[in-house]
Amino acid sequence: MPKQVLPNRSDFEFMQQQFRSWGFRQIGVKEFQQTFRRLRLRAPRSRPGREVGFVFAKNGLEVTAWTTWMMIEQKARESDAAWIVISKQDNALYFSHPIHRTKNFVVTFLRQAWIAMYKIKHRPICLQCNKFMNIAKSKGIKSRYWSCCNKSEHKDNQPVWLSWDYGLPPKALAYVKKNRKQRTKYRQQLAEQGKPQYQSLKKRKPWQKQTNTL
């Protein structure tokens, strides 16, 4: 793992400015508290401070970018990773790989947030039934694709699928493919060394929705 380089106040202000220029809005404290209570969320572990998140909504989907920056403390959490989440009506449909705070964190984080934003701004429409396509899980960990299962309105009564990369501009597509290639190479190295893969993802405990008990 490369050396940790935590973002500073200048880095956060740059990200804040960039997100706002793209049409993201900063999640307010009251909004976070209301969502926390409404969904009866329980954090996976006790963590200091409240990190700043930015959200962008379009075409029935939302992108949320969690920065690891704590506004009151004016610093980043010592132990954490940034995340990009795509959700629909409170249900998370896609989580990015953890974005570690290393030398190029700010650029990497913003690029991935922009790509997620672009995906929902250009959410594919099924060419057979003209309805929005949905995000579906593939076989690989974190793998996704676009799907339309509205078979009754399709000519051959079959679902329609599109690549998760569908419609991305050439520069963004090249970036995604480069990252994917690097992750594949890293996993191959782990396999050759007999080391387990996806350890950080498997160890990660997600937020949970509490259920009412009588």
Side-chain angles (χ1 to χ4, degrees):
M1 176 68 67
K3 181 181 177 182
Q4 184 185 70
V5 180
L6 296 179
N8 55 33
R9 180 173 178 175
S10 178
D11 292 328
F12 171 75
E13 290 175 348
F14 176 78
M15 292 190 292
Q16 185 181 51
Q17 181 182 18
Q18 194 65 67
F19 277 124
R20 287 175 174 171
S21 72
W22 291 339
F24 280 74
R25 62 176 178 79
Q26 189 168 320
I27 299 173
V29 174
K30 287 187 178 180
E31 179 184 357
F32 180 89
Q33 291 173 340
Q34 289 173 349
T35 301
F36 191 92
R37 290 196 300 268
R38 178 171 59 83
L39 298 179
R40 295 178 57 82
L41 293 174
R42 183 173 61 188
R45 62 185 182 278
S46 177
R47 297 187 296 179
R50 190 186 307 282
E51 72 176 297
V52 177
F54 295 89
V55 65
F56 177 89
K58 190 75 173 181
N59 294 326
L61 299 174
E62 285 188 346
V63 172
T64 306
W66 293 108
T67 63
T68 78
W69 182 261
M70 300 180 293
M71 184 61 77
I72 295 177
E73 293 81 357
Q74 284 293 293
K75 66 177 184 178
R77 285 198 177 112
E78 291 293 329
S79 178
D80 204 352
W83 296 87
I84 307 296
V85 185
I86 300 180
S87 58
K88 179 181 180 181
Q89 297 175 345
D90 297 328
N91 294 314
L93 304 175
Y94 165 81
F95 281 92
S96 68
H97 288 266
I99 305 170
H100 299 290
R101 284 86 52 83
T102 55
K103 182 180 178 181
N104 297 314
F105 164 71
V106 173
V107 172
T108 300
F109 182 55
L110 289 174
R111 282 177 175 171
Q112 294 200 31
W114 185 91
I115 289 172
M117 176 191 70
Y118 189 93
K119 285 178 182 290
I120 73 166
K121 284 180 70 175
H122 300 84
R123 182 180 179 182
I125 295 176
C126 178
L127 296 178
Q128 293 199 36
C129 67
N130 296 317
K131 293 183 178 179
F132 276 129
M133 300 186 76
N134 298 306
I135 299 173
K137 292 183 179 180
S138 188
K139 293 181 180 180
I141 294 179
K142 294 202 174 293
S143 295
R144 297 291 186 273
Y145 62 91
W146 293 105
S147 169
C148 179
C149 295
N150 189 26
K151 295 186 289 185
S152 63
E153 296 187 30
H154 296 170
K155 294 178 181 179
D156 54 2
N157 292 316
Q158 295 295 320
V160 174
W161 299 286
L162 288 175
S163 165
W164 183 232
D165 299 333
Y166 177 81
L168 283 180
K171 188 174 181 180
L173 182 59
Y175 172 78
V176 167
K177 288 184 174 181
K178 180 181 178 181
N179 277 0
R180 200 171 288 148
K181 185 177 180 180
Q182 290 175 339
R183 287 196 294 268
T184 298
K185 182 179 179 180
Y186 176 67
R187 289 196 297 269
Q188 289 174 344
Q189 291 175 342
L190 290 178
E192 291 171 359
Q193 297 169 9
K195 296 181 179 179
Q197 302 178 33
Y198 301 107
Q199 285 299 95
S200 60
L201 295 177
K202 292 177 180 178
K203 290 180 179 179
R204 179 177 176 266
K205 295 181 179 180
W207 286 67
Q208 296 180 344
K209 295 181 181 180
Q210 301 178 69
T211 57
N212 291 320
T213 57
L214 298 178

Coordinates of all heavy atoms in Angstrom, one line a residue, residues 12 20 50 61 71 73 81 101 103 105 114 117 120 125 145 153 158 161-162 177:
F12 N -9.7 20.0 0.6 CA -11.1 19.9 0.7 C -11.8 21.1 0.0 O -12.8 20.8 -0.6 CB -11.5 19.9 2.2 CG -13.0 20.0 2.4 CD1 -13.8 18.9 2.1 CD2 -13.6 21.2 2.8 CE1 -15.2 19.0 2.3 CE2 -14.9 21.3 2.9 CZ -15.8 20.2 2.7
R20 N -19.5 21.5 -6.4 CA -20.5 22.5 -6.6 C -20.6 22.9 -8.0 O -21.7 23.2 -8.6 CB -20.3 23.7 -5.7 CG -20.6 23.4 -4.2 CD -20.2 24.5 -3.3 NE -20.6 24.2 -1.9 CZ -20.3 25.0 -0.9 NH1 -19.5 26.1 -1.0 NH2 -20.7 24.7 0.4
R50 N -18.1 13.8 12.0 CA -19.1 13.6 10.9 C -18.5 14.0 9.6 O -18.2 15.2 9.4 CB -20.4 14.3 11.2 CG -21.5 13.9 10.3 CD -22.7 14.8 10.5 NE -23.2 14.8 11.9 CZ -23.8 13.8 12.5 NH1 -24.1 12.7 11.9 NH2 -24.2 14.0 13.8
L61 N -31.7 8.4 -10.0 CA -30.6 7.8 -9.3 C -29.8 8.9 -8.5 O -30.0 10.1 -8.9 CB -29.7 7.1 -10.2 CG -30.2 5.9 -11.0 CD1 -29.2 5.4 -12.0 CD2 -30.6 4.8 -10.0
M71 N -15.9 18.4 8.9 CA -16.1 19.8 8.9 C -15.8 20.5 10.2 O -15.0 21.5 10.2 CB -17.5 20.2 8.4 CG -17.7 21.7 8.2 SD -16.6 22.4 6.9 CE -17.4 21.8 5.4
E73 N -14.0 19.5 12.8 CA -12.6 19.3 13.2 C -11.7 19.9 12.2 O -10.5 20.1 12.5 CB -12.3 17.8 13.4 CG -13.1 17.1 14.6 CD -14.5 16.8 14.2 OE1 -14.9 17.1 13.1 OE2 -15.1 16.1 15.1
A81 N -11.4 5.6 4.3 CA -11.2 5.6 2.8 C -12.4 6.3 2.3 O -13.5 6.3 2.9 CB -11.1 4.2 2.2
R101 N -6.4 7.5 0.7 CA -5.8 8.8 0.7 C -4.3 8.6 0.5 O -3.6 8.5 1.5 CB -6.1 9.5 2.0 CG -7.5 10.1 2.1 CD -8.5 9.0 2.7 NE -8.1 8.4 3.9 CZ -8.2 9.0 5.1 NH1 -8.8 10.1 5.2 NH2 -7.8 8.4 6.2
K103 N -1.0 9.8 -2.5 CA -0.5 11.0 -3.2 C -1.5 11.7 -4.1 O -1.6 12.9 -4.2 CB 0.8 10.6 -3.9 CG 1.5 11.8 -4.6 CD 2.8 11.4 -5.3 CE 3.4 12.5 -6.1 NZ 4.6 12.1 -6.8
F105 N -4.8 11.3 -4.3 CA -6.2 11.0 -3.8 C -7.2 12.0 -4.4 O -8.2 11.6 -4.9 CB -6.2 11.1 -2.3 CG -7.6 11.2 -1.7 CD1 -8.5 10.2 -1.8 CD2 -8.1 12.4 -1.2 CE1 -9.8 10.3 -1.3 CE2 -9.3 12.5 -0.7 CZ -10.2 11.5 -0.8
W114 N -16.9 12.1 -10.9 CA -17.4 12.6 -12.2 C -17.9 11.5 -13.1 O -19.0 11.6 -13.7 CB -16.3 13.3 -12.9 CG -16.7 14.0 -14.2 CD1 -17.2 15.3 -14.3 CD2 -16.8 13.4 -15.5 NE1 -17.5 15.5 -15.6 CE2 -17.3 14.4 -16.4 CE3 -16.5 12.2 -16.0 CZ2 -17.5 14.2 -17.7 CZ3 -16.7 11.9 -17.4 CH2 -17.2 12.9 -18.2
M117 N -21.2 10.4 -11.8 CA -22.2 11.4 -12.2 C -22.6 11.3 -13.6 O -23.8 11.4 -14.0 CB -21.6 12.8 -11.9 CG -22.5 14.0 -12.3 SD -21.7 15.6 -12.3 CE -20.6 15.4 -13.7
I120 N -25.2 8.5 -14.3 CA -26.6 8.7 -14.0 C -27.2 9.8 -14.9 O -28.4 9.8 -15.1 CB -26.8 8.9 -12.5 CG1 -26.4 10.2 -12.0 CG2 -26.2 7.7 -11.7 CD1 -26.9 10.6 -10.7
I125 N -31.5 4.3 -21.8 CA -32.9 4.0 -22.1 C -32.9 2.8 -23.0 O -32.2 2.7 -24.0 CB -33.6 5.2 -22.7 CG1 -33.6 6.4 -21.8 CG2 -35.0 4.8 -23.2 CD1 -34.3 7.6 -22.4
Y145 N -23.7 -4.0 -14.5 CA -24.1 -3.8 -15.8 C -25.5 -3.2 -15.9 O -26.2 -3.1 -14.9 CB -24.1 -5.1 -16.7 CG -25.0 -6.2 -16.2 CD1 -26.3 -6.3 -16.7 CD2 -24.7 -7.1 -15.2 CE1 -27.2 -7.3 -16.3 CE2 -25.5 -8.1 -14.8 CZ -26.8 -8.2 -15.4 OH -27.7 -9.2 -14.9
E153 N -42.5 -6.2 -23.0 CA -42.5 -5.1 -24.0 C -41.3 -5.2 -25.0 O -41.1 -4.3 -25.7 CB -42.6 -3.8 -23.3 CG -43.9 -3.5 -22.5 CD -44.0 -2.1 -22.0 OE1 -43.5 -1.2 -22.7 OE2 -44.6 -1.9 -21.0
Q158 N -37.1 -11.1 -24.1 CA -35.9 -11.4 -23.4 C -35.4 -10.1 -22.8 O -35.7 -9.0 -23.3 CB -34.8 -11.9 -24.4 CG -35.1 -13.3 -24.9 CD -35.1 -14.4 -23.9 OE1 -34.3 -14.3 -22.9 NE2 -36.1 -15.3 -24.0
W161 N -29.4 -6.1 -22.1 CA -28.2 -5.8 -21.2 C -27.3 -4.8 -22.0 O -27.2 -4.9 -23.2 CB -27.4 -7.0 -20.9 CG -28.2 -8.0 -20.0 CD1 -28.5 -7.9 -18.7 CD2 -28.7 -9.3 -20.5 NE1 -29.2 -9.1 -18.3 CE2 -29.3 -9.9 -19.4 CE3 -28.7 -9.9 -21.7 CZ2 -30.0 -11.1 -19.5 CZ3 -29.3 -11.2 -21.8 CH2 -29.9 -11.8 -20.7
L162 N -26.7 -4.0 -21.2 CA -25.6 -3.1 -21.7 C -24.4 -3.1 -20.8 O -24.6 -3.3 -19.6 CB -26.1 -1.7 -21.9 CG -27.1 -1.4 -23.1 CD1 -27.6 0.0 -23.0 CD2 -26.5 -1.7 -24.4
K177 N -10.6 1.7 -17.9 CA -10.0 0.4 -18.4 C -8.6 0.3 -17.8 O -8.1 -0.8 -17.4 CB -9.9 0.4 -19.9 CG -11.2 0.1 -20.6 CD -11.1 0.0 -22.1 CE -12.4 -0.4 -22.7 NZ -12.3 -0.5 -24.2

